[in-house]
Amino acid sequence: MSEQLGTLEELPQDYRDGMAKAGVAPLWPMMRNVLPHGAPNPQTKAGHWSFDAVRPLLLRAGELTPVEKAERRVLVLSDPGRGTGAMQATSSIYLGLQLLLPGESAPAHKHTPSAVRIVVEGEGGFTVVDGEKLPMLPGDLVLTPGGEWHDHGHEGSEPVIWLDALDLPLFVYLEGSYAIEGELQAQRNRPDASDVEYLASGLAPSRSTARARRYPMMRYPWARTEAALREMAEYGEGPLAELDYVNPETGEDVLPTMGFTAMMLKAGQVVSPPLRSASAAFHVVKGSGVSRVNGEAITWGPKDTFTAPVFADISHEAGEEAFLVRIHDRPLQDKLGYYEERAK
Ligand code: GTQ
């Protein structure tokens, strides 16, 4: 293994000039930047966004900027490792907090990246995806897969706030990100699939009569997730109650690149997962506690969001009973064949 690679400075100036003129550069001085030894060297730093700090700024955006002038009224959660204005919270995950006021609607569009909403506050909001109206109650997880038309509306009386998670940074990197604008969609007059075809976990429309859609269920009601976690915390086999959100037809991840895992921590419970090659964002649905990410203590409360770079050393300690959703890029890494966990 070569530890010391040659530097640019030790090459003669005329050679360096010649290379620059020819539009080439030597790999060896840059090699370790892109292929560090043993593990990646992430630019991403752990971030923490207190909901109490962001909420008043978001509500003020509601006064300053009408939704017509914003298309989506969102404050973006910027990775501290990349600085203010960075359109990403980790290498692959974009996060934003979106506000919709009573009576407002955010116009229909579709785009190449996929989005997920986790509802933070308020009732009466909804998203229409491909004609299906998805009600949004606090804690609900709602998918808007890439390529699907979506618009948002609000029939309630108080502001609605949700957390957007998109795989936007990947699409930007691939130079594949774009949107198409359209008209507000007509809504089918029926409940969404989570209350019809997939009302009961373990049951799916009979394959003899139905052909499954690629994204058969786009709303995961929080009440069911919490009930399932509570039973698992009480009677499950492992020390930790953790549930992955899956496509009810295939059992696979709900989206191609982003994964979602709900976790319940009992009061006082400490968990210390293995190092994972996936980057992660944790959204606190309820409860409070302290997490350590690479030695840095993050004290979180309800509705906060915090992040961890790839291979971070993470531990959580719940003060009171807590429910978190982990947003991660394991599905992408599984597809690329390099997802990895390392024992601590
Ligand atoms: O609601 O469709 O935070 O298109 C960023 C881009 C939300 C959305 C965001 C979007 C949306």
Side-chain angles (χ1 to χ4, degrees):
M1 182 161 71
S2 46
E3 287 299 336
Q4 276 304 319
L5 300 177
T7 65
L8 191 61
E9 292 67 36
E10 70 198 19
L11 297 169
Q13 190 60 48
D14 70 310
Y15 180 66
R16 288 159 65 181
D17 294 345
M19 284 190 296
K21 204 163 164 224
V24 297
L27 171 62
W28 56 97
M30 314 185 279
M31 179 102 171
R32 293 285 170 250
N33 300 346
V34 292
L35 289 169
H37 286 303
N41 182 16
Q43 183 180 1
T44 307
K45 293 215 181 324
H48 174 211
W49 295 269
S50 138
F51 187 63
D52 287 345
V54 181
R55 185 178 185 275
L57 296 168
L58 196 51
L59 291 176
R60 184 118 187 261
E63 294 161 19
L64 296 171
T65 307
V67 73
E68 296 76 30
K69 283 183 77 176
E71 188 165 330
R72 298 291 187 265
R73 195 194 286 113
V74 175
L75 294 181
V76 175
L77 279 46
S78 294
D79 163 30
R82 293 178 167 84
T84 315
M87 297 265 298
Q88 58 203 106
T90 75
S91 45
S92 71
I93 300 167
Y94 157 102
L95 298 175
L97 281 163
Q98 179 161 179
L99 170 72
L100 207 57
L101 295 172
E104 287 185 334
S105 63
H109 68 187
K110 59 179 181 177
H111 38 68
T112 45
S114 290
V116 164
R117 336 281 169 186
I118 299 175
V119 184
V120 181
E121 173 183 313
E123 298 193 359
F126 62 90
T127 289
V128 185
V129 181
D130 193 25
E132 184 155 298
K133 182 178 178 183
L134 307 165
M136 298 168 94
L137 292 171
D140 286 2
L141 188 142
V142 168
L143 310 181
T144 41
E148 303 272 359
W149 288 106
H150 56 282
D151 54 75
H152 310 298
H154 189 351
E155 336 176 277
S157 53
E158 300 296 324
V160 160
I161 298 174
W162 63 75
L163 179 72
D164 289 317
L166 282 83
D167 51 10
L168 181 70
L170 291 175
F171 283 78
V172 170
Y173 185 78
L174 294 168
E175 299 186 332
S177 189
Y178 68 95
I180 295 172
E181 284 76 39
E183 299 297 319
L184 283 186
Q185 302 164 79
Q187 300 161 19
R188 277 192 295 280
N189 187 21
R190 48 156 263 172
D192 75 277
S194 71
D195 274 331
V196 183
E197 289 85 356
Y198 304 97
L199 177 63
S201 141
L203 293 175
S206 170
R207 277 110 215 232
S208 62
T209 54
R211 234 185 116 242
R213 294 185 290 168
R214 184 167 177 209
Y215 299 103
M217 177 168 134
M218 291 184 287
R219 170 177 177 241
Y220 293 75
W222 176 254
R224 292 181 204 173
T225 309
E226 182 174 326
L229 286 169
R230 285 188 184 284
E231 293 306 308
M232 211 169 158
E234 189 71 22
Y235 302 110
E237 309 242 300
L240 178 63
E242 252 191 323
L243 291 167
D244 290 335
Y245 289 83
V246 298
N247 177 319
E249 286 285 342
T250 63
E252 288 172 6
D253 302 300
V254 292
L255 288 171
T257 77
M258 286 187 293
F260 302 86
T261 303
M263 171 168 87
M264 175 180 166
L265 301 172
K266 294 182 183 173
Q269 187 173 1
V270 177
V271 298
S272 188
L275 308 186
R276 299 181 172 112
S277 58
S279 68
F282 296 85
H283 178 68
V284 185
V285 177
K286 298 185 201 179
S288 61
V290 183
S291 297
R292 287 188 180 276
V293 180
N294 291 333
E296 186 186 331
I298 297 174
T299 302
W300 42 264
K303 305 175 189 299
D304 286 4
T305 302
F306 59 98
T307 51
V310 300
F311 286 104
D313 184 349
I314 302 171
S315 64
H316 309 288
E317 179 172 359
E320 52 181 346
E321 176 185 86
F323 294 88
L324 285 79
V325 176
R326 176 161 54 93
I327 304 165
H328 54 85
D329 50 8
R330 176 179 177 163
L332 172 70
Q333 297 192 358
D334 276 335
K335 289 187 180 72
L336 296 176
Y338 79 98
Y339 177 72
E340 184 192 347
E341 294 184 354
R342 294 186 189 173
K344 296 206 268 216

